[in-house]
Amino acid sequence: MRQSYQCKNGQLIVEMPKEIDHHCAKELREDIDRMIEISHVRVLVFDFSQTEFMDSSGIGVLIGRCRNFGYSGGSVQAVHLNDRVKKIFMVSGLSKLIPIGTEQERAGGRVDGE
Amino acid sequence: MRQSYQCKNGQLIVEMPKEIDHHCAKELREDIDRMIEISHVRVLVFDFSQTEFMDSSGIGVLIGRCRNFGYSGGSVQAVHLNDRVKKIFMVSGLSKLIPIGTEQERAGGRVDGE
Amino acid sequence: MENRMRLEFDAVSVNESFARVAVSAFFAQLNPTVDEIEDVKTAVSEAVTNSIIHGYGEKEGTVVVTCTYHDKDSEVVVIDEGVGIADIEKSMEPFFTTKPELERSGMGFAFMEAFMDEVSVESEPLKGTKVTMKKRFGERKLEE
Amino acid sequence: MENRMRLEFDAVSVNESFARVAVSAFFAQLNPTVDEIEDVKTAVSEAVTNSIIHGYGEKEGTVVVTCTYHDKDSEVVVIDEGVGIADIEKSMEPFFTTKPELERSGMGFAFMEAFMDEVSVESEPLKGTKVTMKKRFGERKLEE
Ligand SMILES: Nc1ncnc2c1ncn2[C@@H]1O[C@H](COP(=O)(O)OP(=O)(O)O)[C@@H](O)[C@H]1O
Ligand SMILES: Nc1ncnc2c1ncn2[C@@H]1O[C@H](COP(=O)(O)OP(=O)(O)O)[C@@H](O)[C@H]1O
């Protein structure tokens, strides 16, 4: 299952998989890192519109990307979370590390929050 | 899971369950027989529009109803079969016993084929 | 690619649909067509239902379902320790049933044979019954 | 109402999602809310993933999952015969992980505890690990 990426206005939008677990974590991690490397973006956006399931393996992937990307001065966001993914963000405390895009930003197609 | 029944113009339309297997067969059988008894209809229509799964237990239920209902001079039909249920009708030979309503009859809402 | 799983559950009718879902979730790994997976679900439903109704006579018991695959070749085995079958050949004839009072159609084995590539039955009266079914899933393009 | 099932499968990551589906299909019999069933799926995913990654170190092995329920009280047990855990208390601390190189978050046990009512862990080094999780599903109206 290959991910879809979209790169515009200095933003890299990563479409996250339907199910984010240990099974897909390694490939997902490597794919995102490769895209970050080649696209020279300053804003990284995780798009969860396709995501129905995520467990703590997904948390690991997100924290890892945040850390790497943060070092290079970039900012990170998450958008289009369904209620379940939002719950996972809350319970894990990930919501403190990665701002969740608001309805308005989603509606306007703006996700970098600036 | 209770069945829905509709009775009009001498027709009894039985909405078949989502999954027709041995688990639901007994209740389904009893429900249909009770409805036939109280509604004095001459045409019995099995509506499969909700049905996604049927195994040979369902065949047993249908054959049994056909037999009982046929004795009393009534006629039987099946409508709104998806491809899977159609396959089950074909493989079992049930399609020779119970005529399958055509697209036209479905569109026109007429299912008694007369 | 190879994989295997073994499922054990109480012989109660509410588990028929559970067994179908579990088996189809397992073989979903082979990326089958909808029709292929529905064929397997139907065959599993027949064998599991038989163990519950005929093997255990709707009394207490345990049904075991094992699934394995090797590349595109799948195998499902359904086992009960119920009453067993005396005459296997006869029991496999279409329309043959020992429970007409339950409105059984006698089509269970016929369905297993229609929907799977191979079906074999081993059984011993009072020991139980083992139904082995094989199906080769068609080669399909990988989804992008 | 009571029921039980036992599921055994190879310790490979492709079976993580299979285990989730099988367990949720089983508890679907209790007519749970979507949120309840997702909680159980997440907890099962954590425990099964731990057996595969930590218990067996992504090498060969078998994971066993048993599910039972009695009315609205459900229990899930996940067992491996892997390396086991020396200090259970420490391993259950949030963010504690022995595999940071795999970018594990150390949130597995924390998730099990957050999403289930009760979690208990038994383990012996070189023998394996048994995680027992309980959850009571809310009383809901029967669907019409
Ligand atoms: N697991 C089993 N244990 C005992 N008897 C069985 C089992 N499976 C099948 N049989 C016997 O074989 C007969 C035919 O089975 P089948 O073709 O599935 O039709 P049906 O279930 O409608 O009777 C059954 O009526 C029963 O006598
Ligand atoms: N089944 C198991 N077998 C051996 N060790 C385990 C098992 N489950 C958990 N552990 C140990 O407990 C630690 C914490 O587990 P957990 O909270 O799930 O976080 P993570 O999986 O992210 O490391 C693991 O890093 C591991 O050392």
Side-chain angles (χ1 to χ4, degrees), chain A residues 56, chain D residues 50-51 54-55 80 83-85 91 96-99 104-110 112 129:
Chain A
S56 79
Chain D
N50 279 353
S51 291
H54 303 299
D80 64 66
V83 297
I85 305 175
S91 76
F96 176 81
T97 180
T98 51
K99 303 247 169 166
R104 303 298 302 163
S105 63
M107 296 288 301
F109 280 125
M112 293 181 233
T129 301

Side-chain angles (χ1 to χ4, degrees), chain A residues 73-99:
Chain A
S75 79
V76 178
Q77 276 208 29
V79 295
H80 299 178
L81 287 68
N82 73 8
D83 286 349
R84 184 67 201 174
V85 176
K86 221 173 257 166
K87 186 167 176 178
I88 297 289
F89 265 65
M90 297 301 166
V91 171
S92 63
L94 201 61
S95 49
K96 288 179 207 137
L97 195 68
I98 304 182

